[in-house]
Amino acid sequence: MAVTIAKERWTSKVAEMTLGPNGLKVGGETTLPFLHFEGEMPNRPVTALEVFDMEPQDWPDILKEPFADVLSDPVAWAKKIVEYGADMVALRLMSAHPDWKDASADEVAKTAKAVAEAIDVPLIVLGCGVEEKDGQILPVVAEALEGKRCLIGCATAENYKSITAASNAYGHSVIASSPLDINLCKQLNILITEMGLSLDRIAFDPLVGALGYGIEYAYSIMERARMGALTGDKMLATPIVCFVGMEAWKAKEAKDPDVPEWGPQADRAILWEVTTATTFAIAGGTIFILRHPESVKRFNAFINEAMKSNAY
Amino acid sequence: MGLTGLEIFKQLPKKNCKECGQPTCLAFAMQLAAGKASLDACPYVSDAAREALDAASAPPVALVKIGVGEKAFQIGNETVLFRHDKRFEHPTGIAIQVSDNEDVKAKVDQINKLVFDRVGQVHEVNMVAVSNDSGDAAKFADAVKTAQDNTSYPLLLISSDTGAMEKALEIAGANKPVVYAADANNYEAMVALAKKYEAPLVVKGSDLNSLAELVEKVAGLGYKNLILDSGAREFSKVVADQTQIRRQALKLFRPFGYPTIAFANNDDPIMESVNASTYVAKYAGIVVMTSAAPEHILPVITLRLNVYTDPQKPIAVESKIYEILNPGPDAPVLITTNFSLSYFCVAGDTEASRVPAYIIPVDTDGISVLTAWAAGKFTPETIADTVKKLGILEKVNHNSIIIPGGVAVLSGKTAELLGAEVIVGPRESAGIPSFFKQRWLNK
Amino acid sequence: MFEIIGERINGLFLDIREAIANKDPKPVRDWAVKQAQAGAYWLDVNTGPIASKEEQAEVMAWLVKTAQEAVELPCCIDTTNVLAMEEGLKVHKGKAMINSTTAEQAKMDALFPLAANYGAAIVALTMNEKGVPKSAEDRIALAMELVANADAYGIPMPDLYIDPLVLPVNVAQEHGPEVLEALRQVKLLANPAPKTTCGLSNISQKAPNRPLINRTFLAMAMVCGLDSAVMDACDDELVDTAATASIILNQSIYCDSYLKIFRQK
């Protein structure tokens, strides 16, 4: 009995973004994740590992261990990340945080430039998370990184103007971040395009939660955004950034070394980060910012399988 | 949703004989679709058409009951492709496989321990799958008996040998195990066995076409208590087949109107766990794994809990005292609502601050801080009542609580009702670490 | 997403009639651009009355080419002349829309194969030799004929646009609720359901307050399942109404700038 394969007639596609000195491409899909039988997924989901510009204060030992000798040297740390096989380096400018070193824009821009010079993969530059401060430092960073085709974030409803203007002027793309609300995600993408930055230079961040900690909210936002993108809603048709590492490593299940009924920490912690990532990958996530090198390896093994043809 | 006029029309003889009282078959189809006529009025409709039309009133994905007693569960009855369209109805059953070549009792004991507590609720695996890897019917029967004697979970019996299955069912048949599987070679005997014990039967194809064909044959033998296996084992093919089966079922393609089973089995337990999680999200009715180690099962169970929550219903956590990082008498007391996401954000950011603290979620029927405030469920009265009822101020030495910045207006009245200091905290939980640093530790 | 079929490139309008007479492409192009910017999804193209069938076919081809030179939108080729229809389809780029067939067998047998051959969408009116039915029930019976015939010719249901025929409220008031009920029931005829459309401005022919009547009817009809309409794309308040109704019906994802986004393609 011949089954008529049910294929959706999607009318639109996700914008394709090009990053970094090596022209890494992300996005561009014309169907839902991994449904190769009805459309194209020209670029696989990509990974980044995080570098802090100061030694991280709250990382558990299992996470510090692979970077033990480089935690206070962002350039060496970034190089190590490339060796570990991540597609990109995500530099987090924690030192600019008023609670930490309150570093100036010039100081962090210098670090960002040194890191960018040391690697041949795309650089993601993240502020310290304080919107006002990020609105001041990121434009300076963007100027220092002119021509490096970085991904800069996070632009929020509060600070997107200065970040967008600078990113546009110096050839970078922007991460647009809105808290768990698809309507705000869409509106921020619109506001940013209205400043003249094209859709293929925006990736949105719906503020994901980790496995067990509200993962389903961002999961459904991504599914809705992808359905919208494929049916003509251009303003949600941009790549999606998932800050998986930051969230997964807050979870007790990842951090706690000693809970016998949950089993040994090694596999458990990695699975917490990887399962959070793969779950967003099947919902439409594009750029995965992780923390543990083993997670990158595992995530890529998953994507290798998922990218295999399933044409009928 | 009932049948459409076009679907009914296609099943009619198209003779336009008018004997039903309608001028044309088309008009008759319309009357049927509107529920204003009965198919009995048509003297020429074929039995096949009648059956197709009868079957069409059934739900898109059949409901299948597995096991008996306390651990029995149901799968199927699904109505959507995306949880945001409505919700996923019945959580995927997680089956852990044990081979009749290994120490069955030892593994079953391990499986029995896969029970996890999460915010006051118990979550566990659902089935023990016993596989006849030995190829020996007597050994399989022994393994099934050992499994049944040592667990209260329903069983999934894996053997393509009908003789072995018959023996196993003599032992376990009364408890409605899942019979795996009827394939092109053995389906007549497997159907007879499943029928005898009224046990759910997996129909296994080698691709979607052969699966549909076999389901028709099995249905032709009068058995419809079925679960589907397309035979795909490669990850990307499983995702495609699962998607196709759900899509086709929702389009009322009847051979695929049953729940599915997917095998995540992998020598690498991490890949097995990740694949199993994906199958949970992508429509599997049952997912089979081989690892019984908690670190590999907990992520799958947790994702199932998340994906199968009803998006239309807020999820609540229990209103009680939550202790973060072993707080002592000088630790701060944070007030939030019992919307799970509110609680998880506050708990996560408190942990990130490395300041031990108490968190008190006020019962607001699971809605968030500002919504609950607007709805009159997060008020000075409900806050004060909860704080008093839980006796948190007796546990600390500072007689103060911290409320979310978004409801700063509640501070005065709450302080009055409680006779305690009410400190206004940050608006967003992300501000908790700096709040503690600047406002609490310097206090 | 609601599809606006811009009504303005029609020989019944004086400027288009003159453009056709003088072979002057400018008014056609201008209206194509204006309607595209206003949010049109299709451009209705109608030659107006021309005596010779051959000449009408030639004019149709010219109108389609001229409109598509100005914008990338597809055309809704609006003529009862099958020759003109085919000439229009031949020069059309992308997926065209045929406007229209009725439930008369001869028309269906001529136009459904044309739609199938060209992969075009097609508007199908719920009327036959006996004229426009009065009740929702009779409209649906004709819609069913259209659905069954279109399906037999291999036309996918999402390409079939059933038009339940809107009549002026000032002379045929009793048709209003019947049209709305018919729109509801069309969605139950097949799965996937056929689409729906209508000639919106008919509702307000020769009545005062035309814009108000048009947009009130539009919102009501959208609730009942109206997917598209031949309408004045340059009536901003009308388009705002479509955008707002579409948001309230959860047909696209809300954002504060939804009025603007609705007009972008």
Side-chain angles (χ1 to χ4, degrees), chain B residues 128-269:
Chain B
V128 174
V130 186
S131 64
N132 182 18
D133 298 334
S134 68
D136 180 320
K139 213 170 166 190
F140 185 51
D142 276 351
V144 169
K145 180 157 188 349
T146 308
Q148 177 162 278
D149 289 348
N150 287 285
T151 190
S152 50
Y153 292 121
L155 301 185
L156 170 68
L157 308 178
I158 303 181
S159 179
S160 54
D161 173 356
T162 50
M165 189 62 77
E166 184 169 9
K167 283 213 166 76
L169 282 169
E170 279 166 16
I171 294 158
N175 291 328
K176 303 266 184 292
V178 173
V179 176
Y180 184 96
D183 58 32
N185 300 318
N186 69 13
Y187 73 93
E188 282 165 315
M190 281 293 184
V191 169
L193 285 172
K195 248 186 184 173
K196 180 171 170 193
Y197 292 98
E198 293 172 13
L201 173 67
V202 178
V203 180
K204 184 187 177 194
S206 53
D207 57 24
L208 291 180
N209 293 336
S210 64
L211 176 63
E213 198 171 306
L214 194 56
V215 171
E216 295 280 72
K217 285 183 183 159
V218 169
L221 296 173
Y223 205 57
K224 294 192 168 178
N225 188 11
L226 308 179
I227 297 168
L228 307 180
D229 177 3
S230 73
R233 294 295 180 269
E234 257 187 72
F235 176 80
S236 74
K237 295 233 161 72
V238 175
V239 169
D241 282 359
Q242 290 284 335
T243 304
Q244 280 300 324
I245 291 173
R246 175 66 62 87
R247 278 188 186 175
Q248 309 258 6
L250 298 181
K251 287 175 193 283
L252 300 179
F253 176 67
R254 286 302 157 182
F256 288 170
Y258 304 93
T260 60
I261 185 169
F263 288 80
N265 304 32
N266 195 309
D267 291 339
D268 177 344

Side-chain angles (χ1 to χ4, degrees), chain A residues 1-8 10 31-38 57-58 97-100 179-180 209-217 219-221 223-225 227 250-253 255 260-268 270-272 274-275 278-279 282-283 294 298-299 301-303 305-312, chain B residues 81-84 88 113 115-118 208-210 212-213 216 234-237 239-244 247-248 251 253 255-256 268-271 273-275 277-278 281-283 294-300 302-307 309 311 313-315 339-341 343-344 348-349 351-352 354 428 433-435 437-438:
Chain A
M1 176 175 199
V3 174
T4 313
I5 297 302
K7 294 184 187 176
E8 294 293 336
W10 304 116
T31 182
L32 295 172
F34 313 119
L35 302 189
H36 312 294
F37 61 81
E38 72 182 5
Q57 305 294 306
D58 56 349
H97 198 293
D99 287 355
W100 301 112
L180 275 177
L211 176 62
Y213 298 85
I215 194 172
E216 67 273 24
Y217 295 90
Y219 181 81
S220 285
I221 286 178
E223 288 200 324
R224 287 182 68 197
M227 291 292 288
K250 276 186 202 163
K252 288 193 293 291
E253 290 85 345
K255 260 193 333 198
E261 64 269 30
W262 291 346
Q265 187 189 12
D267 281 10
R268 161 162 51 91
I270 296 305
L271 267 172
W272 221 259
V274 174
T275 305
T278 54
T279 300
I282 58 171
E294 180 67 13
R298 295 298 189 163
F299 181 76
F302 172 87
I303 298 296
E305 290 303 310
M307 288 301 286
K308 285 186 181 163
S309 166
N310 49 27
Y312 286 100
Chain B
L81 271 167
F82 301 101
R83 59 187 293 281
H84 65 253
F88 291 161
K113 287 190 204 131
V115 177
F116 305 95
D117 178 88
R118 186 167 186 86
L208 291 180
N209 293 336
S210 64
E213 198 171 306
E216 295 280 72
E234 257 187 72
F235 176 80
S236 74
K237 295 233 161 72
V239 169
D241 282 359
Q242 290 284 335
T243 304
Q244 280 300 324
R247 278 188 186 175
Q248 309 258 6
K251 287 175 193 283
F253 176 67
F256 288 170
D268 177 344
I270 290 200
M271 289 318 287
S273 175
V274 170
N275 290 351
S277 288
T278 304
K282 288 294 166 189
Y283 318 128
E295 65 272 27
H296 304 134
I297 305 302
L298 181 61
V300 184
T302 309
L303 186 67
R304 176 179 66 178
L305 164 68
N306 290 161
V307 168
T309 52
K313 232 191 251 167
I315 323 152
F339 174 39
S340 67
L341 202 58
Y343 168 74
F344 285 135
D349 287 308
E351 282 200 42
R354 284 163 294 124
E428 299 285 338
S434 35
F435 171 82
K437 209 170 163 194
Q438 290 163 7

Side-chain angles (χ1 to χ4, degrees), chain C residues 76-185:
Chain C
C76 172
I77 304 173
D78 186 356
T79 177
T80 52
N81 171 355
V82 178
L83 184 66
M85 184 65 71
E86 183 136 29
E87 288 307 306
L89 287 168
K90 272 185 199 158
V91 298
H92 189 274
K93 287 180 289 189
K95 186 186 195 75
M97 183 187 272
I98 292 175
N99 188 5
S100 56
T101 181
T102 66
E104 292 162 86
Q105 197 64 46
K107 283 210 155 189
M108 291 193 287
D109 289 340
L111 289 159
F112 282 141
L114 211 52
N117 281 344
Y118 284 91
I122 181 165
V123 176
L125 313 178
T126 61
M127 61 179 287
N128 58 12
E129 304 83 347
K130 295 176 200 152
V132 179
K134 192 172 155 194
S135 68
E137 205 177 17
D138 292 344
R139 282 180 161 89
I140 284 300
L142 292 176
M144 189 63 224
E145 301 262 1
L146 290 161
V147 162
N149 277 278
D151 181 67
Y153 278 112
I155 292 171
M157 284 302 123
D159 284 350
L160 181 68
Y161 289 68
I162 300 286
D163 180 344
L165 292 166
V166 172
L167 298 180
V169 68
N170 58 351
V171 296
Q173 200 177 354
E174 66 283 6
H175 280 263
E178 304 297 330
V179 166
L180 293 174
E181 182 55 29
L183 283 171
R184 269 185 222 283
Q185 291 188 20

